[in-house]
Amino acid sequence: MVTTMSSRVESLASSGILSIPKEYIRPKEELTSIGNIFEEEMKEEGPQLPTIDLKDIESEDKEVREKCREALKKAAMEWGVMHIVNHGISTELMDRVRVTGQAFFDQPVEEKEKYANDQASGKIQGYGSKLANNACGQLEWEDYFFHLAYPEDKRDLSIWPKTPTDYIPATSEYAKELRGLATKILSVLSLGLGLEEDRLEKEVGGIEELLLQMKINYYPKCPQPELALGVEAHTDVSALTFILHNMVPGLQLFYNDKWVTAKCVPNSIVMHIGDTIEILSNGKYKSILHRGLVNKERVRISWAVFCEPPKEKIILKPLSETTSEAEPPLFPPRTFSQHIEHKLFRRCQEALEKK
């Protein structure tokens, strides 16, 4: 069954409703911690998401280079998420990605429906909205567009938006640039564990097999943002996740038992360490719990690119160099596919226990 227009969050948001349907309301335990996201972003007290300047990540000056790499390693171990600046991707290219992605969502819903996915039949790429497939039947206040962006020989351009015309060129170039950035980041993280520089990249599939999945998240204005499930609290299953956004706040991280709001840093990309790297590093690098909030005033759009290992080819487990008698393996061996299934099963079990 293809999702119908009436089930799109954008259509619901523009229908003039004053209260949101109950299936979009967050779990009770989270409702007490939801504030106005614009006020939350302005707060200066408390911990702040680190900003890592990558300008010197490949400096010829060893001392300068090591200082940059150490800062990245520290943020990956303490937070598992960071703003990265001077990452080598031009402002012009990032703007093109934002402009073309927004232009797609600015089209009438009828136009976007031409690209609708069909999750029930396994066709997950395309335009969609979350189905109530979890135990508690909750929905997220977002529509999205999802597709494989890299490697080029594995993508299906037939399901990429034809309008605007710059969508395919801009997104293709951005994905290629991100792939190069991922190699640099993985190299630093490898060295940070005392491994060979290319070890982590090999463990997540290497040049041939590491997949970059693009998901553009579109969060319409919401009449009751203090109740809405923008994005439920979760950790990313990926190796790394790179996120652009339209400078509307909404990302929150669960750090030291409190929700911390990420500020909007111009020209930055938010980078998450995902479960895959947490597993390989035996928990030395963190995959942080995070969620998305919505608001009444402005549409929020984010462009998330998930760097994922092949689903079945690789067994994910703590690398032997990261374990010892004092630090036994924290994670059992699983394929990436099995890890995803395990997380879905556990989430469903927890939801059923709360009922």
Side-chain angles (χ1 to χ4, degrees):
M1 180 191 75
V2 177
T3 309
T4 60
M5 274 171 49
S6 60
S7 62
R8 299 302 180 201
V9 179
E10 180 185 357
S11 300
L12 182 62
S14 60
S15 68
I17 59 167
L18 299 176
S19 58
I20 62 175
K22 66 180 189 310
E23 57 266 30
Y24 290 95
I25 295 176
R26 278 187 185 276
K28 285 178 185 172
E29 64 272 16
E30 278 194 47
L31 289 175
T32 53
S33 61
I34 303 290
N36 180 299
I37 192 64
F38 296 106
E39 292 173 7
E40 295 288 332
E41 196 218 0
M42 290 171 67
K43 288 181 180 175
E44 295 295 339
E45 70 273 13
Q48 302 290 337
L49 184 63
T51 297
I52 305 300
D53 189 337
L54 298 185
K55 178 169 59 79
D56 297 319
I57 195 169
E58 293 177 320
S59 170
E60 291 183 9
D61 185 319
K62 185 183 177 185
E63 196 173 318
V64 170
R65 183 176 69 244
E66 288 308 313
K67 187 178 177 184
C68 173
R69 294 181 174 190
E70 191 59 35
L72 173 58
K73 173 187 164 184
K74 185 169 183 277
M77 288 183 160
E78 290 183 7
W79 279 83
V81 62
M82 63 205 80
H83 298 287
I84 53 176
V85 295
N86 289 317
H87 37 65
I89 300 176
S90 72
T91 305
E92 179 197 14
L93 179 56
M94 292 192 296
D95 285 344
R96 283 173 62 201
V97 170
R98 289 190 188 99
V99 166
T100 55
Q102 177 159 351
F104 171 77
F105 277 98
D106 283 347
Q107 297 177 104
V109 175
E110 296 87 344
E111 282 299 308
K112 290 178 287 211
E113 286 298 337
K114 295 174 183 175
Y115 298 93
N117 62 11
D118 184 6
Q119 295 178 55
S121 68
K123 183 191 168 194
I124 59 170
Q125 295 194 78
Y127 174 60
S129 307
K130 184 174 178 180
L131 299 180
N133 57 359
N134 56 17
C136 45
Q138 285 176 307
L139 297 170
E140 296 176 338
W141 192 263
E142 67 153 335
D143 299 322
Y144 63 81
F145 196 93
F146 177 77
H147 62 78
L148 176 67
Y150 200 87
E152 292 173 355
D153 62 342
K154 290 185 169 69
R155 58 191 190 175
D156 179 4
L157 292 180
S158 72
I159 60 101
W160 290 35
K162 307 297 181 291
T163 305
T165 54
D166 193 36
Y167 183 90
I168 292 176
T171 305
S172 299
E173 189 179 340
Y174 180 62
K176 193 173 181 180
E177 293 275 326
L178 275 185
R179 186 62 188 83
L181 179 60
T183 292
K184 290 181 187 178
I185 299 291
L186 290 168
S187 296
V188 173
L189 295 178
S190 277
L191 293 169
L193 295 172
L195 304 171
E196 299 214 348
E197 196 169 353
D198 61 351
R199 180 68 182 282
L200 279 181
E201 182 155 49
K202 284 179 180 174
E203 294 288 345
V204 297
I207 297 296
E208 300 293 322
E209 300 286 350
L210 184 67
L211 305 177
L212 270 60
Q213 310 270 17
M214 163 79 88
K215 183 168 179 256
I216 309 175
N217 302 297
Y218 182 87
Y219 307 98
K221 297 173 191 176
C222 179
Q224 291 180 299
E226 71 284 356
L227 297 180
L229 184 65
V231 176
E232 65 182 328
H234 67 286
T235 61
D236 287 352
V237 294
S238 60
L240 301 172
T241 304
F242 296 100
I243 302 174
L244 274 182
H245 55 75
N246 63 339
M247 293 298 284
V248 175
L251 174 63
Q252 289 192 322
L253 304 311
F254 197 62
Y255 180 77
N256 284 350
D257 296 326
K258 286 185 180 173
W259 286 106
V260 176
T261 300
K263 295 190 178 300
C264 293
V265 176
N267 303 324
S268 74
I269 295 174
V270 175
M271 187 188 78
H272 287 264
I273 302 295
D275 295 351
T276 297
I277 294 296
E278 181 176 66
I279 291 167
L280 293 171
S281 71
N282 201 33
K284 291 174 175 61
Y285 295 131
K286 300 290 185 287
S287 181
I288 196 169
L289 190 71
H290 56 285
R291 67 184 184 188
L293 270 57
V294 292
N295 69 84
K296 280 183 180 179
E297 292 85 39
R298 296 176 65 189
V299 169
R300 180 171 185 259
I301 310 177
S302 68
W303 290 256
V305 175
F306 304 97
C307 304
E308 298 181 351
K311 278 193 159 59
E312 307 293 350
K313 284 190 178 180
I314 293 169
I315 301 296
L316 296 176
K317 61 182 181 179
L319 301 176
S320 59
E321 295 92 337
T322 67
T323 65
S324 65
E325 202 170 311
E327 294 180 298
L330 298 174
F331 308 94
R334 290 191 181 105
T335 63
F336 186 63
S337 182
Q338 287 169 334
H339 175 65
I340 293 170
E341 286 170 21
H342 166 73
K343 287 189 77 167
L344 288 173
F345 174 76
R346 192 173 63 187
R347 196 180 302 163
C348 287
Q349 289 298 105
E350 288 170 355
L352 285 169
E353 286 164 12
K354 287 171 186 171
K355 281 193 166 185

